[in-house]
Amino acid sequence: MKRSSLLIIILIAGIMSLKAQITYDEVGGKDRLNTITTAVPFLMIAPDARGGGLGDAGVASTPDANSLNWNPAKYAFIDKKMGFSLSFSPWLRKLVNDIYLGYLTGYYKIDDRQTVAIGLRYFSLGEILFTDEIGNPLNYYSPYEFSLDGTYARKFSEKWSGGIAARFIYSNLTQGQYVGGAESSAGMSVAADVSVYYQSDIELGAIDGVFAWGLNISNIGSKISYSQTNIKKDFIPTNFRIGPSLTINIDEYNSMTFMLDINKLLVPTPPIYYRDTSGQFIVGPDGKKLIAKGMDPEVSVVQGMVQSWYDAPGGFSEEMREFSFGGGVEYWYNKMFAIRGGFFYEDKTKGNRKFFTLGAGLRYNVFSLDFAYLIPLEQQNPLENTLRFSLLFDFDAFKGQ
C-alpha cells in the first residue's frame, strides 16, 4: 500500500479503532454520541478465528491455546500438555492487501494445577509514504504495533482457577517523524490481566453438561504517549469482561455450547464542556476546559478505572449504554467438526458496532483449523468480507503418533 501523506496514519487509526471517533457536545438527550476512545485499540480486536466466529465471545468458552486473549485463568483447566496456535486476520481487505493482525500463542502445563503461556500479537499497517508539512515526499515506512504477553494460571480447587498475565505494548505509528512540529516517538506501555474461571459438571435430566463462567480485567496498565515533549498521555483499553457458558452433551457424538460475554471499557467517559456563543470551549484559570456535565478525564489509571463506573455525563442510563455484548453458539460433531455462529451488539451512541459472525472448525489428529467470517449490520467493518483463520497444534497428539 502506498500513500502520499502522513494523514493516512490518522485515517487508518480512526478506521481500525473499535470505537467511533466522533463526539458531539452540542447534541443532547439519550441519542447524544459520546464514544470512548483509547490508544492501541488493536488490543481489543478478537485475534483468533474461534472467538471471532462466536460474536467476539470467549471469557467462559472451553479452554484452548488462545485462552490468553479471552481469559488466562482457563489455561488451568486445559486438558493437553502443550500446544500452540497461529492466527491471521486481514484488515481492510476491501481497500488494501498489506494490513493484517497476526497472533501467536503457546502454552505448557506444568502439572495438573499449573499452566504457563506466552503470546505475541502483531499489527502491521502496511507500507506508507511519509511527507513533510508542505507535501514533499520523505520516505516509505512500515508502521506497526505489537504486544508480548506472558501468563500463569493455577487451579484453586476442582472447579475454580485464577490467572495473571503481564504485557509489554509497543506502538510505532510515525517512525520518528515530525507531526505538528514536534518529533514523534514510539509509544510504550506495560499492562497486566487479572482473571477468574469456574467450571462444573452438571446434569440436565438424562443429559450431562458443563456450566462455566469467567471474568477477566485486561490491559490494566500505564498510559501511552507518542511524543517525548507531550505531557498528555492516552489511556490504553482497560476492559472488564464477564460471562457464562453452558455446554450440553447431547449424545456420544453431538454437543452444543452457548456463551455470552459482557464488556465495559474501564476508561473515563468524555464529559460535556462549556462553550461560548461562538462554539469555543471555555477555559478556566488553570488552563483546562470547564466541565458542564461529567467528570475530569485527566486522572490516574486507577482513578480512571474506578470513576468509569459512574462518570458518564448522561448519568446511569448512559453508563448502561457503555456495556457491549457478544454471544455465540458452537456445535461439535464427534469432536472433529464444529459450526459456530454469533452476534455482537454495541449501542449506537458508543460506537454502533453490530454484526453477525459465522465460523467453522476442523480437528484432525495433530492439527486443528478454525475459520471465521463477519457480516456487519449498521456500518462498514474492517473485517467484513474477510476470512480469518487459526491453526492449532497439539503436541500430545504428535507424540502419540
Side-chain angles (χ1 to χ4, degrees), residues 189-251:
S189 177
V190 291
D193 299 353
V194 179
S195 57
V196 176
Y197 180 67
Y198 171 87
Q199 176 179 298
S200 177
D201 295 333
I202 60 173
E203 292 185 0
L204 302 171
I207 300 176
D208 64 344
V210 177
F211 173 78
W213 72 268
L215 182 151
N216 183 24
I217 303 176
S218 59
N219 302 317
I220 307 169
S222 59
K223 297 182 184 180
I224 197 168
S225 174
Y226 293 93
S227 173
Q228 299 294 338
T229 59
N230 187 1
I231 60 174
K232 184 181 183 301
K233 295 185 177 182
D234 298 315
F235 284 92
I236 63 175
T238 306
N239 185 68
F240 174 88
R241 182 187 298 269
I242 189 171
S245 73
L246 175 64
T247 299
I248 301 174
N249 298 316
I250 301 172
D251 54 35

Side-chain angles (χ1 to χ4, degrees), residues 50 78 141 144 154 231 234 240 291 331 394:
R50 184 190 180 202
I78 203 163
Y141 294 95
Y144 63 92
R154 181 182 179 87
I231 60 174
D234 298 315
F240 174 88
I291 297 174
Y331 164 77
D394 178 11

Side-chain angles (χ1 to χ4, degrees), residues 352-392:
N352 201 30
R353 287 179 298 153
K354 298 180 180 68
F355 52 81
F356 286 104
T357 60
L358 300 173
L362 297 172
R363 184 178 297 167
Y364 183 75
N365 293 334
V366 177
F367 298 99
S368 297
L369 274 173
D370 290 323
F371 304 91
Y373 190 82
L374 184 147
I375 306 171
L377 294 181
E378 294 291 340
Q379 59 187 14
Q380 291 185 335
N381 190 294
L383 288 170
E384 65 178 298
N385 299 324
T386 298
L387 187 65
R388 293 180 281 171
F389 73 88
S390 296
L391 172 66
L392 293 87

Side-chain angles (χ1 to χ4, degrees), residues 17 27 38-39 43 52 54 60 62 75 112 128 155 159 168 180 236 255 314 319 322 335 338 340 351 364 371 378 382:
S17 175
V27 179
T38 69
L43 294 175
L54 290 168
T62 52
Y75 279 122
D112 184 57
I128 297 174
K155 277 187 181 180
K159 297 181 179 180
F168 172 73
I236 63 175
S255 66
E319 287 291 350
E322 292 182 356
K335 298 182 179 180
R340 305 181 181 102
Y364 183 75
F371 304 91
E378 294 291 340

Side-chain angles (χ1 to χ4, degrees), residues 289-303:
K289 293 179 289 186
L290 293 180
I291 297 174
K293 290 184 178 180
M295 301 180 66
D296 185 4
E298 300 299 326
V299 295
S300 68
V301 172
V302 175
Q303 177 60 32

Side-chain angles (χ1 to χ4, degrees), residues 271-275 290-294 313:
I272 298 175
Y273 296 101
Y274 282 109
R275 296 176 184 264
L290 293 180
I291 297 174
K293 290 184 178 180

Side-chain angles (χ1 to χ4, degrees), residues 277-349:
T277 55
S278 64
Q280 299 297 315
F281 291 113
I282 299 176
V283 180
D286 57 357
K288 292 185 176 181
K289 293 179 289 186
L290 293 180
I291 297 174
K293 290 184 178 180
M295 301 180 66
D296 185 4
E298 300 299 326
V299 295
S300 68
V301 172
V302 175
Q303 177 60 32
M305 293 175 60
V306 174
Q307 79 176 44
S308 67
W309 294 97
Y310 56 82
D311 65 350
F316 179 77
S317 61
E318 183 175 350
E319 287 291 350
M320 293 299 99
R321 293 196 297 271
E322 292 182 356
F323 287 91
S324 60
F325 305 88
V329 179
E330 180 179 55
Y331 164 77
W332 276 98
Y333 174 74
N334 200 25
K335 298 182 179 180
M336 295 182 61
F337 175 70
I339 298 176
R340 305 181 181 102
F343 178 71
F344 184 91
Y345 172 86
E346 183 177 61
D347 190 83
K348 62 182 179 180
T349 64

